[in-house]
Amino acid sequence: MNPPWPPRGLYAITPDETDTDRLLARVEVILAAGATWLQYRNKAADGALRATQARELLTLCRRHGVPLIVNDDWRLAAAIGADGAHLGEDDGEIAAARDALGDAAIIGASCYDDPELARLAAASGASYIAFGAFFPSPTKPNARRATLDLLRDSAPLGLPRVAIGGITPDNARPLVEAGADLLAVISGVFDAADPAAAVRAYLDCFDARPVHSPSTTDISTP
């Protein structure tokens, strides 16, 4: 069983920020405003900087009661004691990550526009499945495009569904209505003129804002 982290809300993903102090300051605003989960992602950093930043972010996340999930690298997640890892199709086996991180870890899988990848991820022990991009994304302008049907049709898998890719508060509601449990966002919050207000606007797309206290909602692994 995974920790009972809230499975609905805003899944904030960090931007490529090489200044660790600046990164922490930017993330602090997002977490304080109510971000539900945080994923550490930094394609511009080397291994040493990634390890340093991930450890610092874990401390910050612990302070706010928010799980930290490491992008691409379950080994780094295991080394620092992060709450989980998010894996793309080229980032290793979900089963291996589960074995290393344990039953309580949150392990996510990028499924892009492919329902078969979602089925395989669920069978391999993923905690959630992520689809996208749903809209043009400044982070991945050439990303595969996903449809609302992917969110609807994957409901029988029984896992939280994450939507990603060009999501704004103005276009997010149809995703939530189609079954998205978490809205994964980078530039929509970190590049916003008022990041805290942006977080609140995303949370307003849900019927009820998530509660950070790990005491009510459980995400079960298959």
Side-chain angles (χ1 to χ4, degrees), residues 120-165:
L120 290 173
S124 298
S127 306
Y128 69 85
I129 48 179
F131 295 108
F134 284 93
F135 306 101
S137 167
T139 302
K140 291 187 176 181
N142 298 316
R144 286 174 262 179
R145 294 295 292 275
T147 67
L148 293 178
D149 285 341
L150 287 166
L151 295 170
R152 299 187 186 101
D153 295 346
S154 57
L157 295 175
L159 296 179
R161 288 153 288 170
V162 175
I164 190 170

Side-chain angles (χ1 to χ4, degrees), residues 22-118:
R22 175 173 159 79
L23 175 64
L24 294 171
R26 296 175 74 185
V27 169
E28 175 81 52
V29 173
I30 301 302
L31 298 184
T36 311
W37 291 4
L38 182 75
Q39 182 183 127
Y40 172 58
R41 177 186 187 275
N42 193 338
K43 300 295 187 180
D46 61 21
L49 181 58
R50 281 171 51 83
T52 296
Q53 291 186 337
R55 287 190 178 93
E56 294 285 348
L57 286 171
L58 182 60
T59 298
L60 187 60
C61 284
R62 289 283 186 269
R63 190 181 310 147
H64 286 274
V66 172
L68 176 68
I69 297 162
V70 176
N71 178 263
D72 291 349
D73 191 346
W74 61 260
R75 292 175 178 82
L76 174 57
I80 69 166
D83 300 292
H86 180 89
L87 304 179
E89 58 186 341
D90 299 319
D91 297 330
E93 297 294 329
I94 292 171
R98 175 64 67 198
D99 287 343
L101 296 173
D103 291 341
I106 301 171
I107 299 177
S110 289
C111 302
Y112 310 100
D113 60 348
D114 191 339
E116 181 60 23
L117 285 178

